[in-house]
Amino acid sequence: MTDTKFTVAICGAGVAGLTLAVALSKHPDIQIDLYEAADSLFEAGVGIGLWPRSWKIVEKFGLQRPLSSVALIPPESLPQISLNFRKSDEALGLNVNQLITPGMLTFHRPDFQRVLVDQLQSTTCHIHRSRRLVSYTNPQPGSEASRPPIQLRFDDGSSSTCDLLIGADGLHSTVRACMFQEIASKACAEGRSDDARQALQSIEPRWSGICMYRATYPAELLSRCYKRHRALREPTVYVGTNTQITVYPISRGTQISVTATLANFDLEDTPFDGPLMEDVPQDVILHEFDRWEPEVQALFQCADTASRWAVHTCPPLDTYVSDRVALIGDAAHAMLPHEGVGPGQAIEDAYLLATLLGNSKTTISTLPKILEIYDTIRRPFAQQAMNRSRENAMLYTLTFPGLTFDRPEDYDDTQKRRLSEVCYRIRKNWEWVWTTTIDEDIDRAVDMLERQG
Ligand SMILES: Cc1cc2nc3c(=O)[nH]c(=O)nc-3n(C[C@H](O)[C@H](O)[C@H](O)COP(=O)(O)OP(=O)(O)OC[C@H]3O[C@@H](n4cnc5c(N)ncnc54)[C@H](O)[C@@H]3O)c2cc1C
């Protein structure tokens, strides 16, 4: 039996938390407790997508075979038409370009989670369902050689302890809230009121200025409503000023998935007035698109209702770590979904952090320094991914500065050229997800750890 070098509590069993648990469970000297607020780990939910950069990490975990078997679209590195790009906010639409990229793997989130749970070793990882963290206390070092553990409190009145706490609890993270409350209190006590204010602003998610409508319905409905609709055959993006609609066939072509982004970046960071998510009736959606070309209107004539989400993101954080506590995944950097890299960034956090924690030089007393290395490497990168996702959202909704389409002109050459420029920029802004790997960052992190002596 291996001696335990430290205990880790992971709060949240989404993609971030489960990936970290899988990566850490390869190290028998690390004891893991995984706390999940929901009573089931496999809530029916959205799809998630992985680009080649993330898939290469999954391969390192040896998960390519089980994950390939549950992928909705299997791994395919050959370039293919990802999207047809069409400007459609007038009665007559215009084909602009095709976006050609390597394929993205897509999964139902519960299928992905199930594969990860199957990898966990029951000897080193204990999963606790229906345990919602409400707060933690991290006792500061006293004079004694060994530090008291972090105290965790849950909404059922129970409590627990750990040497290291990881917040993988998503956009509305409790760990992030407690961490920045603690940072703010310290700044306040030291008379740094601006720092305290800044820390408190890191707690609440911010409205991005975007609302998204989502609907799924049988493909047969669409073919009855609009014969040979292009979305029955190929993924298409319809764009217009402030708006982007992505539509593609799913479930082997039997269903159609429609997602519409309505953006008003002037409202970014203002409070959203209304429910974060609600069902909206068909006439509300049809009204939004009543001046668009007929094939777009047909997409919404088939949807009796759609859900409308007010898309919130994480504020850019000054740190992902504080002493023995760290944030990963959406808790650290929930971003706009317009590059499809939220799950991939969660996987990168987990992989890099697990590499550092599992290193033989890492001990209970070096944990704060190890987390600093994680923060130094991962935060700028994830922050850049957030910025790129936002830029792509602006490009898609034709609101990117210098590339807007505000004036009602005819489709002349200039406009076509500008639309081609939009497509080109989207692709350029995105290609890091298939042309780069995390390996260099891993080497840099391990090097920093080794140099700590
Ligand atoms: C509007 C929107 C749409 C998106 N659409 C897509 C998409 O179509 N495709 C795609 O690939 N990605 C999409 N994403 C991104 C993706 O959902 C996440 O980036 C990714 O899954 C990483 O999530 P996570 O594990 O960090 O957090 P989450 O998936 O949010 O998981 C957090 C987990 O923590 C649990 N939890 C929360 N609070 C507590 C607590 N106090 N105690 C214990 N447990 C707790 C939750 O129950 C949950 O299981 C979207 C994101 C947004 C915001």
Side-chain angles (χ1 to χ4, degrees):
M1 177 150 174
T2 320
D3 283 343
T4 299
K5 66 174 180 177
F6 49 78
T7 60
V8 181
I10 302 173
C11 178
V15 173
L18 281 171
T19 308
L20 180 64
V22 168
L24 286 179
S25 71
K26 312 270 181 243
H27 304 284
D29 54 354
I30 299 177
Q31 195 67 42
I32 309 156
D33 285 293
L34 179 54
Y35 297 101
E36 167 55 46
D39 59 359
S40 160
L41 295 186
F42 313 119
E43 298 275 306
V46 293
I48 57 164
L50 295 188
W51 289 101
R53 185 177 156 105
S54 320
W55 185 244
K56 287 192 182 112
I57 297 175
V58 164
E59 282 176 339
K60 289 180 206 287
F61 295 150
L63 295 181
Q64 66 272 38
R65 195 183 287 215
L67 281 178
S68 293
S69 71
V70 296
L72 300 174
I73 301 175
E76 175 57 82
S77 54
L78 291 177
Q80 54 194 267
I81 299 171
S82 290
L83 294 168
N84 286 298
F85 200 86
R86 194 170 160 83
K87 188 166 186 299
S88 305
D89 55 350
E90 291 177 76
L92 197 61
L94 173 77
N95 267 343
V96 179
N97 217 330
Q98 289 181 326
L99 204 60
I100 296 175
T101 70
M104 182 200 225
L105 267 121
T106 55
F107 306 90
H108 280 311
R109 187 175 178 267
D111 294 342
F112 189 89
Q113 288 173 295
R114 227 173 247 117
V115 168
L116 294 182
V117 168
D118 286 348
Q119 305 299 314
L120 293 173
Q121 314 287 336
S122 58
T123 44
T124 53
C125 181
H126 297 101
I127 301 180
H128 312 265
R129 296 174 174 82
S130 302
R131 297 285 291 278
R132 177 178 291 278
L133 186 83
V134 287
S135 65
Y136 72 81
T137 316
N138 180 15
Q140 294 310 301
S143 52
E144 66 271 60
S146 71
R147 289 184 63 177
I150 299 170
Q151 309 284 330
L152 309 174
R153 281 171 297 281
F154 299 92
D155 67 346
D156 60 0
S158 64
S159 60
S160 187
T161 61
C162 62
D163 298 317
L164 173 66
L165 171 62
I166 307 296
D169 47 348
L171 175 64
H172 300 277
S173 170
T174 300
V175 178
R176 186 176 74 240
C178 292
M179 187 168 120
F180 280 96
Q181 285 281 4
E182 199 180 53
I183 292 172
S185 302
K186 187 161 182 274
C188 223
E190 292 169 0
R192 293 181 288 113
S193 50
D194 284 352
D195 291 348
R197 208 171 13 256
Q198 169 84 9
L200 291 176
Q201 283 172 358
S202 304
I203 293 175
E204 289 302 322
R206 296 177 179 181
W207 184 38
S208 59
I210 287 179
C211 283
M212 286 177 98
Y213 293 94
R214 290 181 173 216
T216 305
Y217 49 78
E220 204 191 327
L221 279 182
L222 184 59
S223 74
R224 252 190 269 147
C225 174
Y226 194 109
K227 258 199 166 42
R228 289 196 285 279
H229 195 290
R230 81 185 71 235
L232 294 164
R233 305 184 304 276
E234 51 201 24
T236 304
V237 164
Y238 299 94
V239 299
T241 295
N242 298 322
T243 308
Q244 173 219 2
I245 302 155
T246 305
V247 47
Y248 48 90
I250 55 171
S251 305
R252 296 193 168 82
T254 59
Q255 298 278 314
I256 293 291
S257 160
V258 186
T259 308
T261 297
L262 269 70
N264 183 346
F265 286 99
D266 290 342
L267 295 180
E268 194 174 23
D269 291 347
T270 62
F272 180 75
D273 186 19
L276 295 185
M277 192 184 151
E278 65 177 341
D279 284 342
V280 290
Q282 188 187 52
D283 55 333
V284 173
I285 322 168
L286 284 177
H287 178 68
E288 295 281 1
F289 298 99
D290 58 3
R291 282 179 303 156
W292 286 54
E293 64 169 321
E295 70 176 74
V296 168
Q297 295 192 28
L299 292 170
F300 297 104
Q301 277 154 5
C302 298
D304 288 344
T305 58
S307 54
R308 179 172 55 197
W309 301 15
V311 182
H312 284 65
T313 59
C314 194
L317 303 182
D318 284 342
T319 181
Y320 290 174
V321 304
S322 174
D323 192 37
R324 300 179 290 177
V325 182
L327 303 171
I328 65 172
D330 277 13
H333 45 64
M335 59 189 79
L336 290 178
H338 295 80
E339 287 208 342
V341 295
Q345 286 304 290
I347 288 171
E348 291 194 26
D349 292 344
Y351 177 48
L352 190 129
L353 189 54
T355 304
L356 291 170
L357 295 174
N359 190 290
S360 57
K361 288 199 168 164
T362 301
T363 64
I364 190 165
S365 59
T366 61
L367 288 175
K369 284 189 173 167
I370 294 300
L371 296 193
E372 290 292 341
I373 298 174
Y374 160 75
D375 182 59
T376 303
I377 308 260
R378 281 299 303 148
R379 190 160 47 86
F381 196 93
Q383 228 57 27
Q384 199 179 23
M386 288 179 89
N387 294 341
R388 285 183 161 142
S389 298
R390 182 176 174 276
E391 274 176 25
N392 264 14
M394 292 185 116
L395 286 162
Y396 270 128
T397 54
L398 307 184
T399 50
F400 192 83
L403 284 172
T404 56
F405 294 80
D406 299 331
R407 284 171 304 141
E409 298 172 276
D410 289 329
Y411 292 131
D412 58 17
D413 271 358
T414 315
Q415 241 199 82
K416 276 190 194 161
R417 262 208 305 278
R418 217 177 315 158
L419 284 164
S420 291
E421 169 79 12
V422 168
C423 270
Y424 173 78
R425 291 234 198 161
I426 289 173
R427 192 181 187 287
K428 279 311 253 187
N429 201 22
W430 212 345
E431 64 187 14
W432 64 278
V433 300
W434 58 85
T435 58
T436 65
T437 70
I438 195 179
D439 296 350
E440 228 173 82
D441 280 351
I442 294 286
D443 291 347
R444 210 151 56 92
V446 173
D447 190 49
M448 285 169 82
L449 186 151
E450 303 276 339
R451 276 192 284 114
Q452 275 188 352

